[in-house]
């Protein structure tokens, strides 16, 4: 099992910044992918950004150039630096941890943290 603790959400004005953190503990596996997803009211959950244990990153087109994902492997923590926030970024942001165990990926989710961007 992997436990995820998220922090850093809140209310910010458009153009502002927030930094989300996700700390993983438990059976995290050396081979893993940490990521952030978000879900706005009435919409499906969507991928925001991911980072592998080797440091390879990926992100949605809608956040490229504004959001940066990073991680500290020693702390098993991933960060999402969100700059130039827009009202359409308002959503619950969920941390995701994919651990490679027994030749398959196992998925774990955080409880979610609310990000609200006012116009």
């Amino acid at each position: 099992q992997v436990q995820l603790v998220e922090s850093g959400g809140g209310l910010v004005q458009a153009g502002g910044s927030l930094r989300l953190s996700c700390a993983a503990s438990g059976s995290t596996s050396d081979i893993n992918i940490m990521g952030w997803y978000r879900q706005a009211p009435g919409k499906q959950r969507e991928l925001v950004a991911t980072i592998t244990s080797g440091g390879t990153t990926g992100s949605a087109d809608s956040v490229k150039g504004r959001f940066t994902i990073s991680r500290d492997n020693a702390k098993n923590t991933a960060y999402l630096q969100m700059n130039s926030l827009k009202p359409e970024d308002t959503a619950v942001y969920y941390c995701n941890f994919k651990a490679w165990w027994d030749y398959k990926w196992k998925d774990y989710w955080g409880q979610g943290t609310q990000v609200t961007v006012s116009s």
Side-chain angles (χ1 to χ4, degrees):
Q1 285 292 324
V2 173
Q3 294 77 42
L4 301 173
V5 177
E6 302 156 342
S7 61
L11 172 64
V12 65
Q13 286 189 330
S17 299
L18 282 174
R19 187 193 195 209
L20 305 182
S21 299
C22 174
S25 61
S27 302
T28 53
S29 174
D30 289 339
I31 300 173
N32 60 70
I33 303 172
M34 297 188 77
W36 291 94
Y37 290 70
R38 67 187 181 186
Q39 187 166 19
K43 294 188 176 181
Q44 288 189 329
R45 191 173 296 189
E46 63 176 3
L47 172 70
V48 177
T50 60
I51 183 166
T52 70
S53 45
T56 300
T57 62
S59 61
D61 288 342
S62 60
V63 305
K64 276 187 168 67
R66 300 189 298 123
F67 292 9
T68 302
I69 190 169
S70 61
R71 65 186 291 166
D72 182 336
N73 284 337
K75 297 181 179 179
N76 268 333
T77 299
Y79 306 95
L80 185 68
Q81 178 66 43
M82 304 185 292
N83 298 329
S84 302
L85 282 160
K86 304 175 181 180
E88 50 264 43
D89 294 318
T90 295
V92 177
Y93 283 69
Y94 295 91
C95 178
N96 173 260
F97 192 101
K98 299 186 192 305
W100 182 252
W101 284 117
D102 297 328
Y103 304 103
K104 59 182 180 289
W105 292 105
K106 295 187 178 180
D107 252 328
Y108 301 92
W109 292 92
Q111 78 282 4
T113 185
Q114 177 70 45
V115 171
T116 303
V117 184
S118 63
S119 56

